[in-house]
Amino acid sequence: MEYAIVDIETTGSYAAGNKITEIAIVIHNGTHILEKFQSLVNPGAIIPFHIQALTGISNEMVEDAPYFKDIASTVYDLLHKRIFVAHNVNFDYSFLVEELKNAGYSWRAPKLCTVRLSRKIIPNQSSYSLGKLCQNLGITIHDRHRAMGDAEATVTLFEKLVREDKENLIESTLKKTKEHRLPTHINEDDFLKLPETTGAYIFHNATGKIIYVGKAVNIRKRVLSHFSGTNGTQKRQAFINDIHHIDYLETGTELMSLLTECKLIKQYWPTHNRALKKFEPKFSLIQYTDQNNYIRLVVSPYDKHAKAIQHFERAYEANQLLLQLMEEFELDNKLCYFYSVHNEPKPKLNYATLPNVDQHNEKVEAAIEKIAAQSQSFVLVDQGRNLNEKSYILFRNNTLYAFGYFDVELDIVDYEDLVKEDDKCLSNYYMNSLVLQYIERYPSKVKRLLHKAALDYPID
């Protein structure tokens, strides 16, 4: 078992928008060093001043250094089929996955984090940052915040962890993090292409038909979870046996992944997506005209065939709206019905005691018009799938109309102009609720729009 103990210096803190400026790799077999590699890297971008001050790596130092693509084959050969070790491992790992992918290499590896291992094997330290931890343990760092200096310190720390690992925590950690073997009938190349980003993933059967759609904050990790665990039921096994190809769509945000999942499920109705009731509301405020021509308002469980004024997740919300309408428009309580879990029988009406039918109906129609007038139209602008784009969600008259992406450099006059044909969607209560809940948390991302004409299709 061999380890690649790695440290990198970068232009910033996240891989999607920054680059590596220096890399050091130390190959280790658990007892001693086998090989070392170190190189400055030209990031192709200006190194921020505060990063220069921290690392001592200036723009002049990397001016004649190789670009990462020039050393990518060497880096890949050193990392390939070895356990990846680093202090705060996900930072270094995410940068190298991104840089190697951009250079044409698909690479993944089992990981060990010396921060997490140190917390378990050497507990009760005042700090687990590399500098403070090494100082407390008597480990010398010869060149702090330079790749090889920090990598060699991490090597010494790792050797100490191996010696003091009396409970085989390193081995058990590797067993937990080691990537599971995919079923042999699934295309491994599909899996290796999966990113560790937010989005939707799509399972196809042997003929290419979409059989399942899911969403994930980490696509690769979520897909892998489908093939792990000990659940060996016949239904689960049939599901796994049906998967032959895997595809994905990066979405940038979790909300966009949820909407994409819903849109694809409604478009393809995949065989194995069984939890589709979430797309329906639970209650509705409905209207109907009785045999004496009175318009009645009723809160009832959702019925897709009923003429609904508004949908709700909870009966309480629907009852409250009906109560407000009754008070504001002086609606007769004998013609309005609240939802009750006790399912009490409705009293028989004495029409002689009811108000004039035309006057009552005018009040009800005014109440319904008020609800319609309160409908929302807005665009929600958020981050995109990369730094060069943003996502948008267009809401028209209380209904999700379209969602997609646009270039950050685009000069926008009318947000309706952003809508491409593929961006349009036939929304439902669940999708609308996701957006409305999101804008309650992030109102600063919303731009209110003037009301447009009603859509050509209703909420289903």
Side-chain angles (χ1 to χ4, degrees):
M1 189 179 296
E2 291 183 354
Y3 306 87
I5 302 174
V6 178
D7 188 84
I8 60 173
E9 303 302 331
T10 67
T11 60
S13 59
Y14 59 96
N18 293 283
K19 294 291 184 179
I20 293 173
T21 58
E22 188 176 36
I23 182 170
I25 303 172
V26 180
I27 306 303
H28 201 283
N29 65 2
T31 58
H32 60 270
I33 294 170
L34 303 177
E35 185 179 354
K36 289 183 179 182
F37 171 80
Q38 176 184 15
S39 179
L40 285 167
V41 180
N42 188 331
I46 298 298
I47 303 172
F49 180 77
H50 69 280
I51 299 291
Q52 294 185 49
L54 176 70
T55 64
I57 300 173
S58 65
N59 293 307
E60 290 74 24
M61 288 171 63
V62 298
E63 187 176 357
D64 296 323
Y67 292 98
F68 188 88
K69 63 182 177 60
D70 299 325
I71 60 169
S73 62
T74 301
V75 171
Y76 178 81
D77 289 341
L78 287 166
L79 300 179
H80 186 52
K81 294 186 177 180
R82 290 186 169 113
I83 296 163
F84 188 89
V85 182
H87 205 71
N88 190 15
V89 70
N90 287 331
F91 174 83
D92 304 76
Y93 187 82
S94 64
F95 270 89
L96 283 164
V97 166
E98 186 75 15
E99 293 276 22
L100 285 167
K101 180 177 75 172
N102 292 338
Y105 293 87
S106 181
W107 167 77
R108 295 293 189 278
K111 297 176 287 185
L112 286 174
C113 180
T114 51
V115 174
R116 293 181 183 177
L117 290 174
S118 296
R119 290 184 189 277
K120 295 177 181 178
I121 298 172
I122 317 172
N124 304 318
Q125 298 296 311
S126 60
S127 172
Y128 287 89
S129 69
L130 185 62
K132 292 285 181 63
L133 185 60
C134 287
Q135 182 181 353
N136 293 340
L137 297 176
I139 297 172
T140 302
I141 305 181
H142 294 289
D143 207 356
R144 183 73 174 112
H145 292 304
R146 290 297 300 270
M148 186 53 78
D150 286 353
E152 288 176 337
T154 305
V155 168
T156 306
L157 173 61
F158 182 67
E159 290 173 342
K160 180 177 178 63
L161 293 171
V162 171
R163 290 194 303 271
E164 298 189 14
D165 183 18
K166 307 303 180 186
E167 298 179 11
N168 293 322
L169 289 169
I170 294 174
E171 183 180 346
S172 61
T173 300
L174 281 172
K175 283 182 179 178
K176 289 178 184 177
T177 60
K178 186 178 180 182
E179 296 184 342
H180 300 266
R181 183 178 296 277
L182 293 173
T184 55
H185 62 278
I186 294 177
N187 188 322
E188 188 175 5
D189 289 340
D190 288 353
F191 180 75
L192 292 173
K193 292 174 184 175
L194 297 178
E196 295 188 90
T197 54
T198 301
Y201 58 94
I202 304 152
F203 292 159
H204 301 259
N205 65 11
T207 64
K209 181 182 178 181
I210 293 176
I211 58 168
Y212 185 82
V213 175
K215 58 87 183 171
V217 174
N218 182 320
I219 295 172
R220 193 165 188 274
K221 185 176 181 180
R222 180 68 185 97
V223 168
L224 192 60
S225 72
H226 281 285
F227 310 112
S228 61
T230 56
N231 182 351
T233 62
Q234 185 176 358
K235 184 167 73 174
R236 181 176 181 273
Q237 197 56 52
F239 170 53
I240 291 174
N241 289 341
D242 211 10
I243 303 167
H244 282 258
H245 298 283
I246 307 169
D247 204 353
Y248 70 92
L249 293 169
E250 292 182 279
T251 60
T253 70
E254 189 173 6
L255 176 58
M256 292 292 278
S257 72
L258 285 162
L259 297 179
T260 301
E261 177 194 38
C262 293
K263 183 177 180 179
L264 292 173
I265 289 174
K266 286 175 64 65
Q267 185 175 352
Y268 296 103
W269 292 102
T271 305
H272 293 284
N273 283 102
R274 295 187 175 91
L276 301 178
K277 285 191 178 294
K278 69 180 181 181
F279 294 148
E280 298 176 351
K282 294 184 174 60
F283 298 93
S284 302
L285 175 60
I286 66 172
Q287 67 177 98
Y288 73 92
T289 304
D290 69 14
Q291 59 189 7
N292 288 299
N293 211 34
Y294 282 92
I295 301 175
R296 302 199 192 190
L297 298 181
V298 182
V299 175
S300 70
Y302 171 71
D303 178 354
K304 66 181 179 180
H305 300 295
K307 187 176 182 180
I309 299 168
Q310 192 165 322
H311 298 291
F312 301 87
E313 184 67 21
R314 297 186 299 160
Y316 170 79
E317 297 167 343
N319 285 340
Q320 283 296 107
L321 176 61
L322 178 55
L323 181 60
Q324 291 170 15
L325 295 176
M326 289 170 62
E327 292 177 348
E328 182 176 349
F329 293 91
E330 300 179 343
L331 304 179
D332 194 297
N333 60 8
K334 293 186 288 296
L335 294 166
C336 300
Y337 300 104
F338 297 101
Y339 176 79
S340 171
V341 293
H342 303 298
N343 199 22
E344 299 165 351
K346 296 177 177 60
K348 189 171 182 179
L349 281 180
N350 179 0
Y351 281 93
T353 65
L354 295 181
N356 175 273
V357 63
D358 292 331
Q359 291 176 349
H360 167 77
N361 287 351
E362 282 180 12
K363 291 179 180 179
V364 174
E365 288 168 354
I368 294 171
E369 285 177 8
K370 178 182 179 179
I371 294 174
Q374 292 174 338
S375 65
Q376 301 187 72
S377 293
F378 59 82
V379 64
L380 169 64
V381 178
D382 211 337
Q383 70 186 59
R385 297 160 296 188
N386 55 61
L387 295 177
N388 297 319
E389 68 177 16
K390 287 189 177 295
S391 63
Y392 81 90
I393 295 170
L394 183 59
F395 220 70
R396 293 194 343 189
N397 301 327
N398 272 357
T399 303
L400 173 63
Y401 177 60
F403 61 94
Y405 304 89
F406 64 92
D407 193 296
V408 293
E409 301 295 332
L410 189 64
D411 187 17
I412 302 168
V413 177
D414 187 343
Y415 279 97
E416 298 264 349
D417 295 338
L418 296 175
V419 179
K420 300 183 284 291
E421 195 61 35
D422 288 345
D423 294 349
K424 295 178 183 178
C425 64
L426 184 60
S427 68
N428 54 39
Y429 172 80
Y430 177 67
M431 297 169 78
N432 291 342
S433 298
L434 288 172
V435 178
L436 293 173
Q437 289 167 16
Y438 190 83
I439 68 168
E440 283 185 14
R441 299 202 306 271
Y442 304 103
S444 63
K445 298 180 180 182
V446 176
K447 300 179 187 296
R448 299 288 173 178
L449 304 176
L450 295 175
H451 288 282
K452 301 286 184 180
L455 299 179
D456 294 332
Y457 50 80
I459 179 174
D460 67 352

